[in-house]
Amino acid sequence: MSIKTKCLSRRTKVLSWTPENLLRNGLIAGRRADRYPHCYSIDVGAGGPAIIRDGTRLPLKREAGWYKDAIIYQIHVRTFFDSNSDGIGDFHGLAQKLDYVQELGVNAIWLMPFFSSPLRDDGYDISDYKSVHPSYGTLEDFKTFLSSAHDRGIRVIIEMVANHTSDQHPWFLESRSSQDNPKRDWYVWSDTDTTYRGTRIIFLDTEMSNWAWDPISKSYYWHRFFSHQPDLNYDNPAVCEEMWNVMKFWLELGVDGFRLDAVPYLIEREGTSCENLPETHEVIRELRKKVDDQFPGAILLAEANQWPADLRPYFGNGDEFHMAFHFPLMPRMFMGLRLEDRKPITEILQQTPEIPATCQWCLFLRNHDELTLEMVTDIERDYMYDIYASDKTMRLNLGIRRRLAPLLDNDRRRIELMNGMLMSLPGTPIIYYGDEIGMGDNIYLGDRNGVRTPMQWSGGWNGGFSTADPESLYSPPILNPVYGYQAVNVLSQKRTEHSLLSWMKHIMRIRRSSPVFGAGSIEFLYPANHRVLAYVRQLGKETVLVVNNLSSAAQAVELDLRRYKGNILIEMFGRNIFPRIGDVPYLLTMGPYQFYWFRLRRI
Amino acid sequence: MAEETVLTDDFLRQLINVGEVDILVGLPTHNNARTIEPVIRAIQAGILKCFPRERVVIINADGGSQDGTPELVIRASIDDVWNVSKVYALRTLHSISTRYARNPEPGTALRTILAAADLLRAKACVVVSPDSTTIEPDWLQRLVRPVYNDNFDLVAPIYRRQKFEGVLMRNLLYPMTRAIYGYRVREPYASEFAISGRLATDFLTKETWNAEWGRIGAEICLTITAITGKYRVCQSFLGTKAQPARSASDLVAAMRRTVGALFLSLDSNFPLWSAIADSQPVPTLGAQSEVMLEPVRVNRKRLREMFATGVAQLEPVLRSILSASTLSELQRIAALEVNEFNYPADVWAKTVFEFAASYHKCVISRDHIVQALVPLYRGRTLSFLLENRDGSGQDMEKSVESLCGEFERLKPYLLEVWADRK
Amino acid sequence: MWEIIITELTQALQELARGFAHYLPRLIVMLIIALVGWVIAYLLKVLVRSILRLTKFSKLSENAGATQLLNQAALPSSTELLSRFVFWVAWIAFILLGVSVLGIVGLQEYISRFFLFLPRLFVALVILFFGLLAASFFSRAALLAAVNANFRSSRLLSISIRIIISIFALSMVFEVLGVAEETMLIAFGTAFGAVMLGLAIAFGIGGKDLAREFLEKKIVTGKKEEKEDDPSPL
């Protein structure tokens, strides 16, 4: 880690007062030396750049577009670290582990819901938006965590479950209390269960209908997810207003953005699928405007499991979401790997429309949910099931509830290749906690709890997650000899240079070394060998060539690089030089599941 | 000869890009642009329907087409670059083409396809005729499944045929192959068939490859190799086989390709077939045979005339091929009028066997021997037509069966004339 | 008188005996040469035969249709024929060598001429052999093609081809042998002309039918022909 120090003395114009800009310019410039008498330093440590003034860190300023260069680490407070030995992770514990997160090399954390909740859907059933669930600590603990994260240059994105609340939420309790309650209109009520018939049921395995009977007010209420999660009525301006108040509450505390859960379902209209309605976009545009006006730099991230063309409207003209998950790409990466064929990946990216320059895709391999197979065809889904979830207990709804390492047979080469693609395809990568060390899952736990087991810190007591009795943990840790905490843990992987953790740190360091990965354009090369996925990322003068071998066998591939004739290739991991590009097809031989990142240089 | 390669550098490069496959579809062509499109469409549909997950490649071995046939085949590719057809497929489908020679050589085409199957380690290799306009997507499945799933090594087709189609098959190729090699393969010389990668590899390394096979076609040799080499053979019912219109000169060419190849195979396989005394059935999927009873208009008078002229004019040639008794029998038949015409099964079987023996002994140029058989075959065709004119499909099956019996019964006669050095 | 006769007779006898005594060793030498020649010729024959067998000449001649030709002429196989030819040529050469030892005036010249003539004879025989072979092969090929094309005058065509090729081969043979070149040239010319005329007439007569058939097919009964199916072989 290098520390670069420079006292400000020169008169130059400040373009944008951000650590990244300072870094790019290679110096820190000030308008007037006498107005900046302090000694600044830039820490370009693993946690991303941060400015240190006279030994103390400055609070992170929100630069527009920061999310484009980000690498996001997805954490559930409950699963990360237990500081008070109650068997449940908490904010205090999470704050203690921030050094690890910083070292890892990510610069943003996405926290799953930590609000007050009956926890019938792992916190996605919120009963009070403005408080922290007592198991995880207090609001004060959250504030402490937030500021220490910011001190390390790590931004924090929190969950905003806007579509629905818990049925224990006071609003719902009031709403259902009688048909003429003032909050009655805060939820979607109906006398029959036949309204909005064209709407699909998402949790096919548990729910029979999108309507649930409320015996108290003697009518049906609308729910797209579990029946204990009634949908809020966004046709009611009061609801919109109140939800903005909630967001404002957290933004004022300093959070850097929200992941909006279940966005397509905010508004219902008869005769439609009740998804992606124009009215929904209207609600989002209003929210975005308020965010931009009052908290510039904060971001909105959409969770909308839709086809790319249907997702595109959520970016609007850059006036809706900053980011959205690219759901259809993820299963196709797994599919391409197993088919040893790049076609699924290139095809979905060909179908992905252009998005406004200020917007960004969020890419992920695995997350806290099942590997969703909603956005694939029937043939593809059957294939995915047969290949990745031959055991039926691994399947849930329309998806596969497994973690990255078990999905890839714990094959290090495949894990590396998939992460290599995640880090080099256009978008902001998200790493699900534990996947950086290759944690396993427990398919015998119900629902999606199998992928939400305690983080494995060491080979010791409860895997270093908690000092409580193992029996009292919120979830049993993984114990088997392959994926259990004694085999897979942070401590042992830190010690070896060859571990997956060390490798993940390395690849993230390389990704951060060039803005081309976050913001560059992509152009696919289509070598005749369909097992090789090759693309060129370009931003300004920086050009990076990425070549991935999806096959389990060695491959020869000829790349048409005539456009880049005269450049030499520099392999970014080992920094070795490869031959200059000439007129003939560039021949590469690639080992099984091997990938190269080449920086193109004209010397 | 072993070092001789049928793979051009360009083709090899294409094969590298295709990589290992599960199923290889071979398509030998020569100026087939007129009929190939439905064939290609059916193959593609068959792949997408029945083998969406398998790695499949379509390989076109072209004998110097001038009408853009290879381009039509290449267009069947499904990949992320050229997917103009907008067909949905799970994986890339390569459809590649190579020109093995300037002129069509069926044997070399097959060899090219088999060499590709060997290199790409295909588990199943299916060859489809570019003429089969009646092909349905299911054909692919019916041919490939037995190899791919049930470990058969050769799948021969069974077609639904018009009553008087495949006359040569019914009257010579089937009965003779059956009598000689002891397996009841209905279509020993098929334009559609599937083989296992194992058989493809073994067949390629066989010593019997020579220029002769390259020229006249090796399909029958493949069938014989499979039968004699203890490979697992089965038959699969496909459907209606379309018959492209053929003229008389095509008959000579067809006889050369089929009968010539069958006669030629007898030379090197003598130790094998001389020991076989009877025949055994081959496992069959689907119908054993189906006959469509559609009226056929054949100029019977012309057939009789061609037979009679042939026997009279070729007398000196036939004398050197046939035994005196058979020749006089033929001359007797040639004198018959159409309404009483009859070329009995036993005489026909003897004729064919004597031709085979003469072919073996090279009493005259081998090609001339095959050509000399053509008019006699016309006579047999007429007799077959008359015999089954009013019969049902079953009746005809019976008559084919009895002909086969006649061939099997007279096999010792073949051995006799074979050994006889006159 | 008697004395004279007796003396003359004795003298003649003595002359004869002297002459005989003079010739006897030569005769013996000649016989020895002939005998040794026979042995050498026989060895040559065996050698040629085995070489031909090794090089699979019989296969070659089979493919060319020569075997059948020889069979027809009740001749032994081509290998046998060639080796016998070598044997006879070699032995005759030795015998002639022996005769020349006898020193008979005039004979010497003939013998040397024979030796000069030998290569030509050989070439001529080879030409004749292959010529007749070709005549037989091509005439049969034409016959088969014509019959299978349902040609009316196939026999005529076949025979014409055989005659033309045979005449051509023969003329070449005589050319090589140098026998009565001019006569042969005229004879050949006449024969060739006659054959051509014959052919022309034959084709004229035969072609009348052909032409009628062709025209009928094309113009008069074109539709009828279409209806008829040729039963497909495969």
Side-chain angles (χ1 to χ4, degrees), chain C residues 49-62:
Chain C
R49 191 194 281 151
S50 51
I51 285 173
L52 288 179
R53 276 194 189 146
L54 271 177
T55 52
K56 293 187 176 141
F57 180 77
S58 59
K59 198 102 183 172
L60 190 84
S61 84
E62 260 173 28

Side-chain angles (χ1 to χ4, degrees), chain B residues 161 164-169 173 243 246 251-252 257-258 296-299 302 306 310 312-314 316-317 320 362-365 368 371-372 374-375 377-378 381, chain C residues 59 62-65 67-69 71-72 136-138 140-141 143-145 147-156 217 224-225 227-234:
Chain B
R161 283 185 180 282
F164 294 122
E165 268 177 5
V167 178
L168 182 64
M169 197 64 84
L173 296 172
Q243 282 300 334
R246 285 176 198 277
L251 176 61
V252 178
R257 278 208 324 271
T258 56
V296 196
R297 283 172 298 274
V298 177
N299 190 338
R302 186 159 162 264
M306 286 178 89
Q313 303 265 325
L314 294 179
V317 178
S320 60
C362 299
V363 295
I364 53 171
S365 155
H368 290 175
Q371 285 190 50
V374 174
Y377 159 73
R378 287 217 163 90
T381 304
Chain C
K59 198 102 183 172
E62 260 173 28
N63 287 345
T67 311
Q68 193 262 338
L69 187 77
N71 278 346
Q72 268 187 347
S136 152
F137 182 86
F138 285 111
R140 195 172 55 233
L143 178 68
L144 285 161
V147 165
N148 284 331
N150 205 16
F151 215 67
R152 279 286 165 86
S153 325
S154 17
R155 221 28 185 298
L156 182 68
K217 265 188 204 171
K224 189 184 151 204
E225 182 70 12
K227 278 185 197 160
E228 287 166 355
D229 302 323
D230 202 6
S232 71
L234 293 172

